[in-house]
Amino acid sequence: MVLCQGGEAAAVPAAGRKEPEVPLSREDGAGTGQPCLCPAPGMEAAGAEERRVCGCCSGLSWPRCCKAPGTKKKATCPGLGLFYTVLSAFLFSVASLFLKKIEDVHSVEVSAFRCVFQMAFVLPGLIYYKTGFLGPKGKRIFLFFRGFLGSSAMILLYYAFQVMPLADATVITFSSPVFTSLLAWIFLKEKYSIWDLLFTLFAITGVVLIARPPFLFGSNVTGIEGSYTDHLKGTIAAITSTVSAASTFVILRKVGKSVHYFLSIWYYAVIGLIGCVIALFVMNEWRLPYCGKDRVLLILIGLLGLGGQIFLTKALQIEKAGPVAIMKTMDVVFAFILQILFLNHLPTWWTVGGALCVVASSSGTAIRKWRQSLKKAKQNEI
């Protein structure tokens, strides 16, 4: 027998003869730290009917074991994670555009409809992959907070989209990487340097340029939708949504690949639906859409939101966080394009300046984190 542990093989004498050492290949993330016994080529184990199981491969029999001789790791398509990120950004942007087109439906109700669609489409996946509905015991608390914070970010973001320009709300929420770095420093003990502080100040500057508080810009604020009070409420909602979204990023990084992405979305939808129903009951805001167009848009928002969640989660699982955060700048690009083409609302120079500050801040944070991870990986190889 060959004792496999930590990617190394050690020959174990059996029946008075020495077996040749078997070269092994290791799949990323497959190791559990526990030794597993895999039969060497040409050996007949005692008890032919006994099923050989390798603990490093989720219970697969030995011929399909990742450490079996000749087994090759499946190559990941280069750039697939970045493509998923761009596709996710486009789907979220189109869903935001449809949200602006809906009339007389509260943002909390829209969020409830989206959660229902997510549950309906994720449920077959949970059954097919046999992930269960609660997840591993040690991860349930993280999944709960991921669902609570993620659904809260969705509700607040939808409210911001309804009361302020699409590009303005998108730019504010795009400062999420800056808050992610701050929260990762607090909860994951990641390094937070003077550069991170500088990027945070850049992001705050961008948000101020978009919000344009009267004590800095005077009472005559142009380029907003509706009253300035609604604009200010939308800004506060967008900032709170950004912090909540950053918290979910930290939780997803903490959980990693130990939880199937369908299960993560399931918690997001279930907890979000419960919260939306309670909020609608308290506010007495529940009403059915009046026309067929709004109903179709609600369905499309649910489908597009589900697709965006799936592709973003997949991107974070197969690609480093730095490139994903950089590629998410496409959120801002899509928001500006859709706002100009379909909402006939030209962004002001204040919004453009704020967008440049926020994009520079988040991109700088992402690039710095990416370089740190590459440097750490090289040091580990040495």
Side-chain angles (χ1 to χ4, degrees):
M1 302 291 286
V2 177
L3 181 63
C4 312
Q5 183 177 19
E8 299 177 355
V12 180
R17 60 192 178 98
K18 184 177 181 180
E19 297 176 6
E21 186 172 346
V22 182
L24 303 176
S25 62
R26 179 175 182 177
E27 185 177 354
D28 238 5
T32 61
Q34 297 178 352
C36 62
L37 294 178
C38 304
M43 283 196 63
E44 294 290 338
E49 296 181 357
E50 182 183 359
R51 183 169 180 256
R52 300 288 184 263
V53 175
C54 176
C56 63
C57 303
S58 303
L60 293 178
S61 56
W62 174 76
R64 297 168 60 192
C65 172
C66 70
K67 297 181 184 294
T71 303
K72 294 182 179 180
K73 178 182 175 182
K74 185 178 179 181
T76 304
C77 178
L80 183 61
L82 301 183
F83 172 75
Y84 283 159
T85 307
V86 175
L87 186 56
S88 170
F90 178 75
L91 295 178
F92 280 135
S93 299
V94 176
S96 303
L97 174 65
F98 290 162
L99 179 63
K100 297 286 290 185
K101 292 290 186 179
I102 289 182
E103 301 175 358
D104 298 326
V105 179
H106 199 278
S107 59
V108 178
E109 186 174 349
V110 177
S111 303
F113 273 100
R114 174 177 165 179
C115 291
V116 169
F117 278 99
Q118 285 184 319
M119 290 176 61
F121 281 87
V122 169
L123 182 60
L126 295 178
I127 297 174
Y128 177 79
Y129 289 107
K130 300 179 180 179
T131 61
F133 297 97
L134 297 178
K137 290 184 178 180
K139 305 296 181 180
R140 291 175 186 174
I141 184 66
F142 297 108
L143 289 171
F144 171 80
F145 281 109
R146 182 266 186 274
F148 175 76
L149 294 171
S151 58
S152 300
M154 172 184 63
I155 296 171
L156 293 169
L157 180 59
Y158 280 6
Y159 176 77
F161 281 143
Q162 285 188 333
V163 299
M164 64 188 306
L166 179 63
D168 290 16
T170 302
V171 169
I172 292 176
T173 58
F174 191 71
S175 59
S176 177
V178 178
F179 292 102
T180 302
S181 298
L182 179 61
L183 294 176
W185 170 59
I186 297 174
F187 296 103
L188 301 181
K189 307 304 179 182
E190 295 185 2
K191 187 177 179 181
Y192 191 82
S193 67
I194 189 65
W195 283 104
D196 295 304
L197 178 60
L198 180 62
F199 294 143
T200 302
L201 294 177
F202 261 95
I204 294 175
T205 301
V207 172
V208 170
L209 292 178
I210 294 172
R212 281 164 282 169
F215 66 88
L216 291 178
F217 294 85
S219 58
N220 296 324
V221 180
T222 59
I224 63 175
E225 293 180 359
S227 65
Y228 180 77
T229 301
D230 289 338
H231 182 80
L232 184 59
K233 290 180 179 178
T235 301
I236 296 174
I239 295 174
T240 309
S241 173
T242 300
V243 176
S244 299
S247 302
T248 62
F249 273 108
V250 173
I251 293 174
L252 286 173
R253 286 164 63 178
K254 177 70 175 180
V255 173
K257 296 182 180 180
S258 61
V259 175
H260 197 280
Y261 65 94
F262 268 0
L263 191 60
S264 175
I265 299 174
W266 172 257
Y267 267 81
Y268 176 97
V270 171
I271 296 177
L273 179 60
I274 295 174
C276 289
V277 171
I278 295 174
L280 289 172
F281 177 78
V282 172
M283 297 185 299
N284 195 23
E285 287 287 349
W286 171 262
R287 64 173 65 91
L288 290 176
Y290 294 114
C291 64
K293 184 189 75 171
D294 285 349
R295 297 173 186 177
V296 172
L297 291 178
L298 280 174
I299 295 174
L300 291 176
I301 289 173
L303 295 177
L304 293 171
L306 173 65
Q309 279 289 328
I310 291 176
F311 285 118
L312 179 59
T313 306
K314 287 291 293 180
L316 288 170
Q317 287 184 338
I318 66 177
E319 185 61 80
K320 294 182 181 298
V324 170
I326 296 172
M327 193 57 64
K328 275 186 67 62
T329 54
M330 295 303 297
D331 288 19
V332 178
V333 176
F334 288 138
F336 275 100
I337 294 175
L338 295 177
Q339 177 175 300
I340 294 173
L341 293 180
F342 298 100
L343 300 178
N344 298 320
H345 185 89
L346 291 175
T348 64
W349 287 109
W350 294 114
T351 299
V352 174
L356 291 176
C357 288
V358 173
V359 170
S361 172
S362 58
S363 299
T365 301
I367 293 173
R368 184 174 177 276
K369 295 296 182 182
W370 186 17
R371 292 183 60 183
Q372 285 181 344
S373 63
L374 293 178
K375 183 179 180 181
K376 186 176 181 180
K378 290 181 179 179
Q379 290 177 348
N380 291 336
E381 290 178 359
I382 296 176

